[in-house]
Amino acid sequence: MPFGEREDELWEAMKPRFKPRIVGDPNARYAKSIVNGIGAFAPRHNVAPTASAVRATLARVVHRTPEVLVKVTGRKKGAKHLAAHLDYIGRHGDIAIETRDGERITSKDDAHQIADEWSDPLYWRQGTSVSAVAMVFSMPAGTNPDKVRESVREAAERLIGDNHDYVLALHTDTPRPHVHLTVQAEGMDRKRFDPRREDLFRFREAFAEALRSRGVEAEATPRYTRGQGRAGTSMALTQLRARIRNGASRQPTNADLRQAREAMQIALGKAQQPALATKTRARWQDTKRRYEAAADRLDRTGNREDRQLAGDVRKFVQERAGIETVPDMMLRDAEKRVRDAQDRARTDPQPDRGVPRGTPPPPTRRR
């Protein structure tokens, strides 16, 4: 069977499909189309991919092409909150902030004026209404920073357009060049900018395509496509864990404590693993099956490059026999602690049960 006849099945394994969540039903006549993703509400991924696009994406995945990172870092409420954020991304005037029209702002007064213009003019609502959404676009170390900035601007022009105002700032003070994109929450059509999972993935795809058009290898695929089961963490949780590692705080985060307690209950046989871990492993097995089928079809094309890619696909699958999620990692650590406790109980002498618990030891004699 030629490789080009089964692209849809492989494409679904490399590019996720989303269904919009219905929070209201303004017009019941369109509800079925919205839920089923048909008609005017059909997602872009329903378009049949070409054989060359599928082959190129598969090659980038198995060759470990760097993945782009796009995430929402926060929502700025009110002029003061937004002004403080603009001061941060502009390093208090040391880094130029670029507007949607390409103007470079280095003055704090000009940045604060933007914050006032974007915020709610009703002073009693400045602390509650969202004025802007802060996003960050990042690439691995060694990537050309100017190309990263240009790619972010192209992605913003493509997906945001002129409906929302936005500013961006390039940071190169870390090994990973990254761009802070701040988007005005309220658009010209009075609709709010509120990116969700599907929107963030579209930003990732647009960012990766813009980078590739500038000669930078980049890809945007889900974690399970690459055999990775650990999700990223929020910025707040990352900062809390950094404080603990640096010794600034000794209090573990609530999320880590909860995961540790759940893992210990599973290790002791008092609970079951969450459905998330089981579903993730099942999805990875299905993805592996599609990769292996794609490798077989590539072998049958008779093309030397296709056969080489088929070998790379099989090697990629063999190196990732399983997938480990965060619950799996926590469970492995909990099981190790249980085994260590059982070993200590077998080797250490049992304490005298006639002595009440909490009784202090007798004083030692001094010579």
Side-chain angles (χ1 to χ4, degrees):
M1 178 184 298
F3 176 73
E5 295 183 5
R6 296 291 300 278
E7 294 91 358
D8 292 346
E9 182 181 2
L10 180 61
W11 188 256
E12 291 178 358
M14 295 187 295
K15 297 292 182 178
R17 299 180 63 182
F18 299 93
K19 285 188 177 181
R21 295 183 301 172
I22 298 180
V23 296
D25 190 7
N27 195 331
R29 192 176 71 178
Y30 297 112
K32 185 176 180 180
S33 298
I34 294 175
V35 173
N36 296 329
I38 59 177
F41 301 96
R44 188 179 64 177
H45 298 302
N46 282 354
V47 179
T50 62
S52 59
V54 175
R55 186 183 288 104
T57 302
L58 180 62
R60 286 192 292 267
V61 170
V62 299
H63 293 155
R64 300 173 180 82
T65 299
E67 292 280 333
V68 298
L69 184 146
V70 178
K71 65 190 306 183
V72 174
T73 57
R75 288 168 169 79
K76 310 308 170 184
K77 298 182 179 180
K80 292 183 179 179
H81 194 193
L82 178 56
H85 172 71
L86 295 179
D87 287 341
Y88 165 73
I89 66 174
R91 293 294 190 264
H92 301 278
D94 294 337
I95 296 178
I97 299 176
E98 300 182 15
T99 65
R100 182 184 61 186
D101 300 327
E103 180 184 358
R104 297 171 64 86
I105 296 176
T106 57
S107 171
K108 292 179 61 175
D109 294 336
D110 294 339
H112 291 182
Q113 182 179 356
I114 292 177
D116 292 334
E117 293 174 354
W118 288 9
S119 301
D120 197 328
L122 302 179
Y123 66 90
W124 61 83
R125 291 176 51 188
Q126 286 191 3
T128 57
S129 59
V130 175
S131 303
V133 178
M135 305 174 64
V136 65
F137 294 69
S138 176
M139 279 294 289
T143 309
N144 189 319
D146 293 331
K147 293 183 178 181
V148 173
R149 184 187 67 249
E150 295 170 0
S151 300
V152 173
R153 177 174 288 279
E154 180 178 333
E157 292 175 352
R158 171 179 166 184
L159 297 179
I160 300 176
D162 297 332
N163 189 41
H164 295 267
D165 199 2
Y166 55 84
V167 296
L168 55 91
L170 171 65
H171 285 189
T172 57
D173 53 351
T174 62
R176 296 175 61 98
H178 57 279
V179 173
H180 290 271
L181 177 68
T182 307
V183 185
Q184 184 181 11
E186 186 172 358
M188 297 182 64
D189 58 356
R190 313 299 293 179
K191 292 183 179 179
R192 310 286 292 181
F193 180 75
D194 188 20
R196 299 296 180 178
R197 286 181 57 199
E198 180 179 5
D199 303 316
L200 291 177
F201 188 77
R202 288 178 178 174
F203 271 105
R204 289 188 65 208
E205 285 190 318
F207 184 32
E209 291 175 5
L211 285 168
R212 290 197 296 268
S213 67
R214 290 168 173 79
V216 179
E217 286 295 322
E219 186 51 76
T221 55
R223 292 187 308 275
Y224 63 83
T225 298
R226 308 184 300 274
Q228 298 179 2
R230 301 183 187 180
T233 56
S234 65
M235 187 66 67
L237 185 57
T238 301
Q239 293 174 352
L240 285 174
R241 288 172 175 170
R243 286 172 54 86
I244 295 173
R245 288 194 300 268
N246 296 334
S249 174
R250 296 184 178 180
Q251 177 64 33
T253 64
N254 293 332
D256 293 336
L257 288 175
R258 175 179 52 81
Q259 291 177 351
R261 285 194 295 265
E262 292 175 354
M264 184 57 67
Q265 293 295 319
I266 297 172
L268 295 174
K270 299 180 180 180
Q272 299 292 330
Q273 262 199 312
L276 169 66
T278 304
K279 291 181 179 179
T280 301
R281 285 191 291 268
R283 183 165 53 183
W284 172 236
Q285 294 301 323
D286 179 67
T287 303
K288 286 174 56 179
R289 178 187 61 79
R290 301 189 187 197
Y291 281 169
E292 292 168 353
D296 294 339
R297 293 196 298 272
L298 286 169
D299 273 336
R300 290 194 291 268
T301 61
N303 186 287
R304 183 177 61 84
E305 294 181 355
D306 288 348
R307 288 197 298 269
Q308 183 178 358
L309 178 57
D312 295 339
V313 171
R314 293 191 178 95
K315 181 180 178 181
F316 177 83
V317 172
Q318 291 174 359
E319 292 175 351
R320 292 161 176 78
I323 187 170
E324 185 180 51
T325 62
V326 173
D328 293 330
M329 180 185 63
M330 301 295 293
L331 177 60
R332 187 179 68 248
D333 183 66
E335 290 175 343
K336 182 178 182 301
R337 293 201 303 269
V338 171
R339 288 194 301 268
D340 293 343
Q342 293 174 349
D343 294 340
R344 287 194 302 269
R346 286 193 297 266
T347 57
D348 295 345
Q350 294 293 330
D352 186 4
R353 299 188 181 277
V355 179
R357 185 176 182 180
T359 303
T364 57
R365 292 184 178 181
R366 295 183 179 179
R367 294 183 179 179

